[in-house]
């Protein structure tokens, strides 16, 4: 038995922890999540299992047989042909080739096609081209294909969009104007999500993944929920809502969805409104703290995800990527910790997919 | 029915400016001491708002509404305070350091400090060490706040602290440093007295510094 456990910090730096330090970090991380979201801490058996996952000496960790879950890929081929600034590896290939690689070489169970800019707003004027790509990919693939994009409501504010920027208005004390601008942007965003999603539905997309939701706060979340409600009612699309954040920020502050205030919602509470809107999959996103160890971050993420899984009526597909879910914030992900994050979120967080 | 202190505290928390002015005026009219109104209603109200922001229960727009409410009530109190008596927690001089034109975060901090009961002298952006020193001489603040967004302008914070020292003013004022690239360890290395990672914590840090002083 080794005296120390090699792991990493949330910024990717290698670090060696004693067994006592490892256990302390696991307990502290879980307690921090529980205190913030007022949810249960991980129990002793969970902490023991997490300690085993991190103490296992192999470089790569995997779930026990029978615990395998659905793996999906956001952005999909973007990760192959995108540059490093987009977390890609810069391989010159077309999206259609990338999708086939993801399915046939890497074994993903579902995936999505997305515009290189990966937001609904820039996808809208090119939606006819996006439809062609989706239609061709549907012919090429067996796995279910989503169309994926981010609401990214920041693109609707000046200088990128037509509406006054709340980040300029709020520091001037123009609170009512800042709130009004967010509502205008949210209405336009909702329309764009619907426009692109309906176009994808027309060409046979299996689903729509609304990814990194609420990055611009509660108004963006509201626009997404309204779009989800409309799509769930009038299309057969499978709808995934992936979150941008563990806490919905109240850049507006007074918005509600069917009586539930959106600002300040933690993952299990976000799930409740996402379910209410009619979505079929939920992707909680737990922020990684770079100055804490990966075990601390993973225990924290598992505490949030386990509570989601406990109360969920729809599958939970936890976000695992740079800076979320306990994965370090570093461009090239070290397999030693990423695989442990995956195992932990499935076996402790009870996630249905990643 | 809650007493007037409780009512005033509650309207500060929810950011109802009109109600705050009405209640403050009524309390002054019946002879309640302005200092008591400040310390037993307005400041405790803002303390609740700050705590809620830290716990993720309320956010910047609501904090700003409460700050504006507090300011409106303070304006009514000021004429009734004894000469030389501070209307709040003292003065903060704040600015973005020389070469840096970013002011969103700094202005948010300024508004929230005002809302918490500090008087704020906002020097704007690209403030030279000499202007900071002159403002400290003129306004005699309890705290000097420096902000920077660019890593290239961070050294100006150190220069400003050096200029305060050369002018013999360093021990007369607490120095706070903030801005996206600033960290606690950097602030300590600079010789600042306080650092905060966000606007809400800046208020708490400022209050902590004046309690220590």
């Amino acid at each position: 038995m080794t005296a120390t456990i090699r792991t990493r910090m949330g910024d990717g730096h290698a670090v060696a922890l004693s067994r006592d330090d490892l256990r302390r970090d696991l307990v502290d991380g879980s307690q921090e999540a529980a205190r913030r979201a007022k949810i249960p801490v991980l129990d002793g058996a969970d902490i023991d299992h997490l300690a085993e996952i991190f103490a296992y000496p192999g470089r790569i960790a995997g779930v026990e047989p029978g615990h395998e879950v659905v793996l999906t890929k956001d952005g999909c081929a973007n990760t192959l042909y995108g540059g490093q600034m987009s977390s890609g590896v810069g391989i010159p290939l077309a999206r259609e080739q990338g999708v086939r690689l993801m399915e046939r070489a890497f074994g993903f169970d579902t995936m999505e096609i997305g515009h290189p800019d990966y937001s609904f707003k820039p996808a809208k004027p090119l939606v006819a081209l996006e439809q062609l790509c989706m239609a061709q990919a549907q012919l090429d693939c067996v796995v279910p294909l989503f169309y994926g994009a981010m609401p990214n409501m920041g693109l609707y504010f000046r200088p990128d969009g037509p509406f006054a920027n709340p980040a300029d208005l709020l520091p001037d004390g123009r609170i009512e104007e800042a709130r009004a601008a967010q509502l205008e942007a949210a209405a336009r965003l909702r329309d764009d999500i619907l426009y692109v999603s309906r176009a994808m539905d027309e060409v046979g997309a299996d689903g729509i993944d609304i990814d990194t939701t609420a990055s611009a706060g509660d108004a963006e979340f509201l626009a997404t929920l309204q779009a989800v409600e409309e799509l769930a009612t009038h299309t057969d699309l499978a709808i995934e809502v992936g979150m941008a954040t563990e806490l919905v920020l109240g850049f507006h502050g007074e918005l509600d969805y069917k009586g539930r205030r959106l600002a300040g919602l933690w993952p299990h509470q976000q799930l409740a409104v996402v379910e209410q809107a009619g979505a079929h999959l939920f992707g909680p996103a737990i922020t990684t703290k770079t100055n804490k160890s990966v075990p601390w971050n993973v225990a924290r993420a598992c505490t949030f995800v386990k509570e989601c899984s406990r109360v969920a009526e729809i599958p939970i597909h936890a976000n695992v990527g740079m800076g979320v879910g306990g994965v370090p914030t570093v461009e090239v992900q070290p397999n030693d910790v990423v695989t442990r994050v995956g195992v932990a979120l499935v076996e402790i967080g009870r996630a249905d997919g990643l | 029915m809650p007493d007037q202190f409780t009512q005033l505290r509650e309207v500060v928390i929810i950011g109802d400016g009109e109600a705050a002015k009405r209640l403050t005026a009524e309390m002054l009219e019946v002879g309640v001491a302005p200092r008591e109104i400040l310390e037993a209603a307005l400041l405790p109200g803002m303390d609740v708002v700050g705590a809620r922001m830290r716990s993720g229960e309320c956010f910047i727009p609501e904090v700003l509404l409460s700050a504006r409410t507090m300011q409106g009530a303070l304006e009514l109190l000021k004429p009734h305070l004894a000469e030389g008596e501070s209307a709040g927690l003292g003065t903060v001089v704040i600015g973005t350091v020389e070469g840096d034109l970013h002011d969103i975060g700094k202005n948010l901090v300024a508004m929230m400090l005002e809302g918490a009961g500090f008087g704020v002298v906002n020097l704007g952006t690209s403030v030279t060490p000499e202007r900071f020193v002159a403002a400290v001489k003129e306004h005699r603040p309890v705290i000097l706040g420096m902000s920077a967004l660019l890593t290239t302008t961070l050294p100006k914070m150190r220069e400003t602290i050096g200029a305060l020292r050369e002018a013999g003013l360093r021990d007369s004022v607490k120095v706070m440093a903030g801005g996206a690239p600033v960290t606690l360890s950097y602030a300590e290395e600079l010789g600042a007295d306080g650092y905060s990672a966000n606007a809400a914590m800046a208020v708490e840090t400022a209050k902590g510094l004046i309690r220590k002083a």
Side-chain angles (χ1 to χ4, degrees):
Chain A
M1 183 183 285
T2 54
T4 58
I5 290 120
R6 285 179 60 81
T7 182
R8 293 176 188 273
M9 296 297 288
D11 64 2
H13 278 89
V15 61
L17 299 178
S18 69
R19 285 178 182 270
D20 287 346
D21 286 346
L22 171 67
R23 196 167 183 87
R24 187 203 60 212
D25 275 11
L26 294 172
V27 170
D28 286 355
S30 178
Q31 285 177 343
E32 210 268 348
R35 180 181 57 77
R36 281 180 169 271
K38 300 181 177 62
I39 55 177
V41 292
L42 296 177
D43 59 31
D46 290 334
I47 296 293
D48 289 345
H49 193 165
L50 274 174
E52 282 172 20
I53 291 169
F54 281 100
Y56 169 66
R59 177 174 288 273
I60 305 293
V63 295
E64 292 172 18
H67 289 184
E68 295 87 351
V69 296
V70 174
L71 290 181
T72 191
K73 180 72 190 80
D74 66 351
C76 189
N78 299 10
T79 305
L80 297 174
Y81 66 69
Q84 196 175 31
M85 280 182 71
S86 302
S87 304
V89 291
I91 298 171
L93 47 65
R95 276 195 288 181
E96 291 83 350
Q97 294 166 314
V99 168
R100 271 177 281 183
L101 266 175
M102 288 289 185
E103 180 190 44
R104 297 174 197 181
F106 302 151
F108 279 92
D109 304 300
T110 73
M111 69 189 79
E112 62 177 38
I113 289 169
H115 178 273
D117 207 16
Y118 201 50
S119 297
F120 281 99
K121 188 181 171 212
K124 184 181 170 186
L126 299 169
V127 77
L129 291 172
E130 297 299 278
Q131 283 180 307
L132 288 177
C133 182
M134 174 60 78
Q136 185 61 48
Q138 288 287 356
L139 295 173
D140 291 341
C141 293
V142 175
V143 300
L145 286 176
F146 290 79
Y147 187 79
M150 302 187 292
N152 203 356
M153 200 171 81
L155 292 180
Y156 295 79
F157 299 122
R158 291 176 201 143
D160 299 313
F163 303 112
N165 197 322
D168 293 330
L169 297 170
L170 283 173
D172 286 343
R174 295 157 70 183
I175 302 158
E176 292 78 10
E177 289 172 72
R179 285 177 161 167
Q182 290 177 71
L183 291 180
E184 288 178 308
R188 190 69 63 86
L189 167 62
R190 172 188 167 278
D191 290 348
D192 288 352
I193 294 173
L194 288 174
Y195 181 85
V196 172
S197 302
R198 285 171 180 149
M200 288 301 141
D201 188 37
E202 284 172 12
V203 294
D206 297 294
I208 193 87
D209 177 22
I210 306 174
D211 195 2
T212 68
T213 294
S215 62
D218 49 351
E220 181 180 310
F221 196 21
L222 178 63
T224 302
L225 293 168
Q226 290 171 340
V228 167
E229 187 177 332
E230 179 76 13
L231 292 171
T233 306
H234 298 292
T235 73
D236 291 325
L237 289 166
I239 305 166
E240 173 156 8
V241 176
M243 299 303 296
T245 171
E246 66 192 32
L247 176 68
V248 176
L249 297 177
F251 290 134
H252 186 289
E254 288 188 338
L255 298 176
D256 72 278
Y257 180 72
K258 297 189 174 176
R260 183 86 186 248
R261 184 181 183 237
L262 296 176
L265 294 187
W266 294 98
H268 65 293
Q269 298 164 324
Q270 299 162 10
L271 164 68
V273 288
V274 165
E275 283 179 336
Q276 201 177 3
H280 307 101
L281 295 158
F282 177 67
I286 314 304
T287 313
T288 296
K289 309 280 183 193
T290 54
N291 61 352
K292 296 287 187 181
S293 71
V294 168
W296 186 94
N297 278 291
V298 170
R300 187 171 179 277
C302 285
T303 306
F304 283 120
V305 173
K306 187 178 180 185
E307 181 62 8
C308 288
S309 301
R310 189 182 72 78
V311 300
E313 293 180 3
I314 60 176
I316 300 299
H317 284 200
N319 275 279
V320 182
M322 183 175 71
V324 288
V327 176
T329 305
V330 58
E331 278 292 341
V332 180
Q333 292 301 328
N335 281 336
D336 51 345
V337 285
V338 175
T339 53
R340 282 166 173 78
V341 170
V343 173
L345 289 173
V346 173
E347 295 192 340
I348 309 294
R350 309 285 192 270
D352 303 287
L354 301 175
Chain B
M1 186 176 169
D3 63 38
Q4 283 183 306
F5 287 99
T6 306
Q7 286 181 52
L8 183 54
R9 192 173 63 232
E10 289 303 313
V11 298
V12 167
I13 293 168
I14 63 171
D16 185 342
E18 291 307 311
K21 282 182 190 169
R22 178 177 50 75
L23 282 164
T24 304
E26 285 173 8
M27 291 166 83
L28 287 169
E29 208 170 296
V30 297
V32 180
R35 175 64 51 189
E36 198 180 353
I37 295 172
L38 182 70
E39 291 179 354
L42 298 176
L43 292 176
M46 286 306 295
D47 286 343
V48 172
V49 174
R52 287 185 181 175
M53 186 171 188
R54 285 194 301 282
S55 65
E57 292 171 72
C58 83
F59 297 88
I60 284 173
E62 294 144 306
V63 176
L64 294 179
L65 276 174
S66 293
R68 197 159 72 183
T69 299
M70 168 94 173
Q71 278 302 304
L74 272 181
E75 288 304 314
L76 295 179
L77 292 187
K78 278 178 187 169
H80 298 271
L81 292 166
E83 197 172 332
E85 190 179 8
S86 167
L89 302 173
T91 300
V92 177
V93 165
I94 192 169
T96 305
V97 296
E98 186 179 9
D100 203 325
L101 300 175
H102 296 89
D103 65 354
I104 290 176
K106 181 262 297 172
N107 287 348
L108 275 175
V109 170
M111 288 185 70
M112 292 176 71
L113 288 170
E114 274 188 327
F118 287 95
V120 174
V121 178
N122 190 339
L123 300 178
T125 60
S126 196
V127 180
T128 62
E130 296 74 25
R131 275 188 65 210
F132 274 120
V133 168
V136 169
K137 280 181 184 164
E138 181 184 349
H139 301 288
R140 296 286 165 189
V142 289
I143 292 170
L144 170 67
M146 293 184 290
S147 170
L149 183 74
L150 304 175
T151 52
T152 50
T153 60
L154 285 176
K156 290 293 175 184
M157 289 186 166
R158 192 188 303 277
E159 280 184 38
T160 302
I161 291 175
L164 284 174
R165 198 171 289 121
E166 278 177 25
L169 295 168
R170 179 63 187 90
D171 295 333
S172 72
V173 64
K174 297 292 183 186
V175 175
M176 283 177 61
V182 182
T183 61
L184 175 62
S185 59
Y186 187 79
E188 285 172 349
E189 191 188 318
L190 285 175
D193 302 299
Y195 157 81
S196 80
N198 57 55
M201 288 309 296
V203 172
E204 293 308 306
T205 305
K207 285 181 180 174
L209 287 176
I210 60 167
R211 274 196 294 271
K212 276 189 207 166

